[in-house]
Amino acid sequence: MTDLQRAFYDVLVIGAGGAGLRAAIEAAEQGARTAVVCKSLLGKAHTVMAEGGIAAAMGNVYPQDGWKVHFRDTMRGGKMLNHWRMAQLHAQEAPDRVRELEDWGALFDRTPEGLISQRDFGGHRFARLAHVGDRTGLELIRTLQQRTVALGIDVYMECTVTRLLRAHDGRMAGAFGYWRESGQFLALQAPAVVLATGGIGKSYKVTSNSWEYTGDGHSLALQAGASLVNMEFVQFHPTGMVWPPSVRGILVTESVRGDGGILKNSAGNRFMFDYIPDFFRKETAETEEEADRWYTDKTNNRRPPELLPRDEVARAINSEVKAGRGSPHGGVFLDIASRRSAEYVRKRLPSMYHQFKELAEVDITAEPMEVGPTCHYVMGGVEVDPDTESSVVPGLYAAGEVAGGMHGSNRLGGNSLSDLLVFGRRAGAAASAYARETDAAPLREDDLTDATREALAPFAREGGENPYTVQHDLQTCMNDLVGIIRTAAEVQQALDRIEELKIRAKALTVQGQRQYNPGWHLALDLPHMLRVSECIAKAALEREESRGGHTRDDFPGPDPEWAKINVICTADGEGIALKRQPLPVMPDELAAIFEEH
Amino acid sequence: MSYDARLRVWRGDASGGDLQDFTVQVNEGEVVLDIIHRLQATQTPDLAVRWNCKAGKCGSCSAEINGRPRLMCLTRMGTFGEEEVVTVTPMRAFPVIRDLVTDVSFNYEKAAQIPPFTPRQRDADGNHRMQQVDVERSQEFRKCIECFLCQDTCHVVRDHEENKPAFAGPRFLMRIAELEMHPLDGVDRRRLAQDHFGLGMCNITKCCSEVCPEGIHITDNALIPLKERVVDRKYDPLTWLGSKIGLRPKD
Ligand code: SF4
Ligand code: SF4
Ligand code: FES
């Protein structure tokens, strides 16, 4: 293998979003030779799109807040399907993870006392999100990027991993990939590999996710022998842009509602009051007056229904539109203009103001926005040990969106950025400790030859179709048949289509040459997208109940038996095998929290 | 509502290339990046372009549209006449890799040369305390999405490759200003700004500020104040003495 670049590390991190960079920083600080590989330039990862903030019970605004309340909110938001230990570690450690960002240069908005300010978000009992206007993700990524550079960590930018490499005994040995810029291949040897590749949203037509979100990490993990948990749970963010068509799906931050925005249908009704589920009735306002008072007095009033967890709001919007009460372009109205001063809106939501002005020619300080659900986040992911983020494959770790368990069936807003930091750090620490004790395994030359052949295959074929058509058909299939509301018949239809798409993907042809060729890149991403789509569809068919980010029209309610079961996916030849696995049982002292609070 | 637009796109690589003409469908509300994507999906699957967020938040899709440095995802087709030919070329100040993708490693090298943020100690309770008014100056600069359009525009390097070693460009001079105004940072980078990063070469034409998609007042709020601080430092004997004996007072 002559044109193969090789390098050696202790810890190899795949992905340079929040989780990947935080993992790399920790590994490097602990003395591991560390490298990060990422598909885009450094600092462009999807984390920049996170707007609202980082959930952490620091108690800067409400001293009554603490990790137990955050833990409770997280578990309830996930309809109790979260791995209790992950939810516990997350709630306990998030405040320290936020504080250390300030030591690396982050500048959060302040309280009058000069502490980090915290804002309200759906499902969180207290104002808890550390933020910078509505561009918190950018602040997070830039801070971690600058720290990564200061530590001298090697970053392989615009480089895609196509395969994880294992030793003869099954443990991790490294990864194989290509430089997007030149099309040259590289093999990076490392005993410990951390997956931090984010999510799967590009398998859906309407999504807030960027091109990078093709489920690479989920798929690489499966191929390496790891398992995925709860892939049926996909979060549709209630508020994506709906118009103009070219921006459909782009995120409209939940902060609009946290800062006072309300949802209305075409009749002008604040419809969320009609959709309060029993599970949340005790903590949700009954009247508009109470809801409005809550923004300034949280002790004596309950939260507005617009701030119910995302799955509830997304389903409600979906129902309003279906019932013919939608906005002109098939969404509903999100109105902050009539509720807050223009100056307040521009100050609190500067990038939303900018986004609507530039992309939709809408002035959000003067008129309502049109919004509708958009595929945003996958709760399911690699099954990991909560304390170390280790998968079942020795030396393979996963953190951030690619890991599963933390969010149960539905993730609360703000819990993603904190998840990245808490579990990114833990994965980096565990990976570097493992690498210290473990010798690097040699790469198997036959694997490298095979990986090269596989990557070049689309050039060798002639007369096949263009990868963009296959991608488009997959996105339509997932959106229409495994979307926000599901039925057995439709999901089965999706699975049949996925089988056809798998065959078409094997026959693709790519034009041009290897240097920066997006058609070729997409051809190599497609098998990942198909594999994760199959996991989602299979798991969605298996779980015969409705819970969080999985709604079955044919099984409309939650089922107490399913509340005790996780659905696990593993690779099975070219397909996916499923099994049911009991949920880990929460210790009594944590269970007691649900009675106290 | 749809029409066929005439698009002229530069295609080629480091060894050369040319403008090629295409006719592409345009729908209501679409931006230039949509049209480039439609070209990829229907006519030129190997057309190279960078993008991520499609919402002006990541700074990936920088290019020159009718000669003006812009983000493709924030440039609406509606701003051009239906008859007008829209020309899309790669950023001129950076070497071309392929088509609309340029080699922006210059920027990452400059970023790595800036001495990193170095905070003061936390308060006894583990927190840092800062007032909102004090963080706002640096917060403005931290809105930067690193699109490098200002770097592409600045005449000091736009057609002067030879100035690149001695000039960090507006983005990174602004980064120095950001650290200089950061309430927690304790390093003095003023001499470096002048001697190593070429602050003196900036003659405050404000062209960088004009193209910034984030609307950051790069020249007025970062570069000019940084120049003033450099001057203060030069004439302040105490600062001079401090730097000689290893103390680093900041104002
Ligand atoms: S103000 Fe300075 S940095 Fe900005 S374009 Fe002019 S010379 Fe360049
Ligand atoms: S300062 Fe503005 S123009 Fe320059 S890189 Fe940052 S966002 Fe782009
Ligand atoms: S694609 Fe992110 S700024 Fe244009």
Side-chain angles (χ1 to χ4, degrees), chain B:
Chain B
M1 285 203 284
S2 297
Y3 67 97
D4 284 338
R6 285 185 296 149
L7 210 65
R8 189 167 286 167
V9 182
W10 193 90
R11 296 212 63 190
D13 57 24
S15 63
D18 53 20
L19 288 167
Q20 294 181 11
D21 288 297
F22 301 95
T23 303
V24 204
Q25 189 190 329
V26 175
N27 305 319
E28 187 177 3
E30 286 185 332
V31 294
V32 171
L33 186 60
D34 290 314
I35 310 311
I36 295 290
H37 283 157
R38 184 160 300 128
L39 259 183
Q40 271 185 341
T42 56
Q43 303 181 40
T44 56
D46 60 343
L47 173 65
V49 59
R50 278 197 186 102
W51 68 285
N52 282 70
C53 68
K54 217 174 157 298
K57 290 186 166 60
C58 74
S60 302
C61 65
S62 309
E64 302 194 1
I65 301 169
N66 291 346
R68 192 176 152 76
R70 303 199 59 144
L71 294 177
M72 287 185 267
C73 72
L74 287 190
T75 307
R76 290 165 65 96
M77 288 301 288
T79 54
F80 309 106
E82 292 191 7
E83 293 307 312
E84 195 176 339
V85 178
V86 178
T87 304
V88 188
T89 50
M91 285 193 283
R92 192 162 95 196
F94 306 116
V96 166
I97 293 174
R98 242 190 99 71
D99 304 337
L100 300 175
V101 174
T102 57
D103 175 358
V104 291
S105 53
F106 164 75
N107 299 289
Y108 287 90
E109 284 155 21
K110 293 294 177 188
Q113 290 167 6
I114 300 173
F117 172 73
T118 310
R120 66 169 192 231
Q121 289 275 311
R122 294 189 194 183
D123 296 349
D125 67 352
N127 289 305
H128 283 298
R129 280 178 179 72
M130 295 177 262
Q131 289 306 311
Q132 184 65 34
V133 285
D134 297 324
V135 301
E136 265 165 16
R137 288 185 302 178
S138 291
Q139 274 185 336
E140 181 190 4
F141 311 142
R142 290 181 72 82
K143 284 187 344 199
C144 169
I145 58 174
E146 300 206 323
C147 64
F148 308 131
L149 288 172
C150 57
Q151 305 283 87
D152 179 47
T153 305
C154 175
H155 63 94
V156 178
V157 283
R158 185 164 167 91
D159 288 311
H160 296 279
E161 197 62 30
E162 71 281 6
N163 284 339
K164 281 187 177 172
F167 186 67
R171 178 355 178 187
F172 295 102
L173 291 169
M174 177 178 89
R175 165 72 174 149
I176 295 172
E178 172 206 320
L179 290 165
E180 180 69 23
M181 299 178 199
H182 195 302
L184 299 182
D185 181 76
V187 174
D188 186 349
R189 299 173 189 76
R190 286 176 291 178
R191 172 165 285 173
L192 272 178
Q194 191 70 7
D195 299 349
H196 185 76
F197 294 107
L199 180 62
M201 295 166 92
C202 161
N203 54 357
I204 56 174
T205 57
K206 302 195 188 185
C207 316
C208 51
S209 312
E210 272 164 35
V211 297
C212 176
E214 286 293 306
I216 303 171
H217 299 95
I218 308 171
T219 321
D220 288 346
N221 291 353
L223 305 182
I224 293 174
L226 187 61
K227 280 174 178 275
E228 287 166 357
R229 287 174 185 230
V230 167
V231 172
D232 287 349
R233 181 185 186 281
K234 279 196 178 145
Y235 296 108
D236 178 354
L238 251 186
T239 309
W240 180 83
L241 187 68
S243 70
K244 286 285 165 198
I245 58 174
L247 297 172
R248 291 156 155 175
K250 273 183 65 162
D251 46 20

